[in-house]
Amino acid sequence: MKASRAMFATALAAVAGLASVSPAWAAGAIGGEVQKQAVNPTAIVMFLIFVLMTLGITYWAARRTKSAKDFYTAGGGITGFQNGLAIAGDYMSAATLLGLTGLTFAKGYDGFVYSIAFLVGWPLILFLMAERLRNLGKYTFADITAYRLNQTKIRTLSACGSLSVVALYLIAQMVGAGKLIQLLFGLDYAYAVMLVGVLMIAYVTFGGMLATTWVQIIKACMLLGAGTFMAVMAMSQFGFSLETLAKKAVEVHPMHDAIMAPGSLLSKPVEAISLGLGLMFGTAGLPHILMRFFTVTDAKEARKSVVYSTGFIGYFFLVVGILGLSAIVIVGTDPQFLDADGKLRGGNNMAVMHLAKAVGGDLFLGFISAVAFATILAVVAGLALAGASAVSHDLYASVIKKGKADERTEIRVSKIATLAMGVLAVVLGILFEKQNIAFMVGLAFAIAASANFPVLILSMMWKGTTTRGALIGGFIGLLTALTLVITGPTVWVQVIGFKDALFPFEQPALFSMPVAFLAIWFFSVTDGSREADEEKAKFGAQFVRSQTGLGAESASSH
Amino acid sequence: MQEDAYARILANPRFLELTSKRSRFAWLLSAIMLVVFYGYVLVVAFRPDLLATKLYDGATLSVGVPIGAAIIVLAWLLTTLYVARANTEFERLNQQIIEELK
């Protein structure tokens, strides 16, 4: 029972944010103690090429980034196709590649169920949010929630939501990055974390959104290309027949035929539904993902970008399924990848790395290692930019300066915020090296789904939303998510060490989301203030703009 | 000026047509995605044996594999379906509404 819970948490964390510290199968890979590997020269050369290329892009982007609009949204001139790739690059973390293949390697079909849960939020983002986001938003999603509500209060709330999500996600990424780099490149943990921090600061402070976007695009192409190549090479060993591959996998896997069907991971209905909700609507509340919708020229391109991103992500998840299954046969039976106990060297999350070596030799292993590193950099750059804009655009320009900040100071604040966040991320990354951080990504998703998403969607769709309702409801959602995660099995039992959890479920979304929605509704309908009437009266204009795009931010001239 | 334009659009019957058509379409597609996904999740949770059924006699692959792949493909198809209509029919209607302001 406890083992399955641990696995459940680990799988989520590993998949979403590369942070698994847990007993059971995932131990050893990116979580817990990792063994520093011998220096891998091919990997380092490949990675240096990537770094030089991205720094070149940052230099190019820096010369084009002059206004606040350039800095936050790359001037708003990104095409739907480019943005689709960048979203895919933002969403497919190194952990998707390592965690999902590792999960499929260990448990078979269960890995596939996770992939599906990670994808199905995207169509809903398109149908219910994409065009509204583009038409109402400017730099941050708080521009939308504060459109007709009280600027100071709502931006404070949204900035709190953004910064909590960014901080949790960033720490998880940093710790994961440090361990992964240690494992792949043979670099010391502290140096690895610092390297990630320095590059992240460089991309964001100098190149802003334009550099971040291109880093994400390049990384997405590398990941898609490498995944495809590996899948083709692996399938060629099975005559390109999925049935042959499955037959061999069932033969050699210790679970045999059970790998072809859902197993223990999602056997509890409440957890399964709650996980589905959290992933689906959490995605729709992640500030770094929402921000990507402000970079395209108009609502038409915003819609197109979701078609491309859903296509790329879905394709990648299918490839990942093939890679995981192939690894069972190719890697799981090859003694060079197994230790004395017959377990995978470096843990199950290394399955895809071993597969790379098996099908493409050391050169390709080096390339995949560089891809994994690039992936982390792209994700942390997006996070840092989202966090920095919450500080500079929401807190500094709107809350402190009441909208009277001049543009140059605002950008400067943003860069200082990036620098501060980078330093903080490195320090926390080093402090948390040995800590159990598996819950952090889950918590980030829970806060996104229970605080950011309800406020955002209700402010856009429900006329009756008032400042009081959004503010109280948003904070209640945030606190509920936080409380349920802390008193739940992942933190209460596994981190703090109590025997039994106060809240029995791993996944809070099924409970915390309705609480947030109810609270926003209740504190809105009981709000009889004059401000509330004015806010409701402004809904008509907001609705027209969200639907037609009239008055929406347009792309800057260059 | 802007406020006046918004008020005029709000009173335009075409605007009502646009928003009601688009939101009906968006909710329909959302409902399909939600029903399919949560239906699948419930099967995974309550009747995993259904997904374990073999694809054909003597097969190793279970029906769960093509069903899972089909959900991924469906998610993508629904997005293309929405954009095909939103970026043509709805966009034209939208342009007309904005033209009529002049």
Side-chain angles (χ1 to χ4, degrees), chain A residues 63-142:
Chain A
R63 298 173 44 163
R64 289 166 168 259
T65 301
K66 294 190 179 72
S67 64
K69 192 177 178 66
D70 296 332
F71 183 78
Y72 292 124
T73 68
I78 303 287
T79 68
F81 179 72
Q82 292 165 340
N83 196 40
L85 266 175
I87 290 175
D90 225 349
Y91 200 62
M92 302 182 297
S93 58
T96 318
L97 176 71
L98 305 179
L100 281 177
T101 41
L103 190 58
T104 312
F105 175 82
K107 310 226 83 191
Y109 194 81
D110 279 343
F112 201 33
V113 179
Y114 269 85
S115 305
I116 295 167
F118 264 94
L119 184 74
V120 291
W122 282 103
L124 269 90
I125 291 179
L126 169 64
F127 306 150
L128 306 177
M129 294 172 78
E131 59 212 6
R132 289 182 171 90
L133 288 174
R134 179 59 192 85
N135 287 340
L136 293 173
K138 194 176 172 195
Y139 302 150
T140 64
F141 83 89

Side-chain angles (χ1 to χ4, degrees), chain A residues 156-180:
Chain A
T156 310
L157 166 73
S158 294
C160 285
S162 292
L163 288 172
S164 342
V165 171
V166 166
L168 289 165
Y169 222 115
L170 206 53
I171 295 173
Q173 290 286 334
M174 279 294 185
V175 174
K179 293 193 170 154
L180 185 69

Side-chain angles (χ1 to χ4, degrees), chain A residues 471-502:
Chain A
L471 191 67
I472 300 178
F475 275 116
I476 288 181
L478 204 158
L479 290 176
T480 310
L482 196 65
T483 313
L484 295 188
V485 170
I486 290 176
T487 58
T490 357
V491 176
W492 203 252
V493 179
Q494 288 171 37
V495 178
I496 307 180
F498 286 110
K499 199 168 162 288
D500 289 302
L502 300 177

Side-chain angles (χ1 to χ4, degrees), chain A residues 90 165-166 169-170 173 216 288 378-388 421:
Chain A
D90 225 349
V165 171
V166 166
Y169 222 115
L170 206 53
Q173 290 286 334
Q216 286 165 345
H288 60 297
V379 175
V380 294
L383 284 168
L385 189 59
M421 219 159 7

Side-chain angles (χ1 to χ4, degrees), chain A residues 132 136 181 222 238 401 547:
Chain A
R132 289 182 171 90
L136 293 173
I181 292 164
M222 283 167 78
F238 307 100
K401 289 281 173 180
Q547 293 288 331

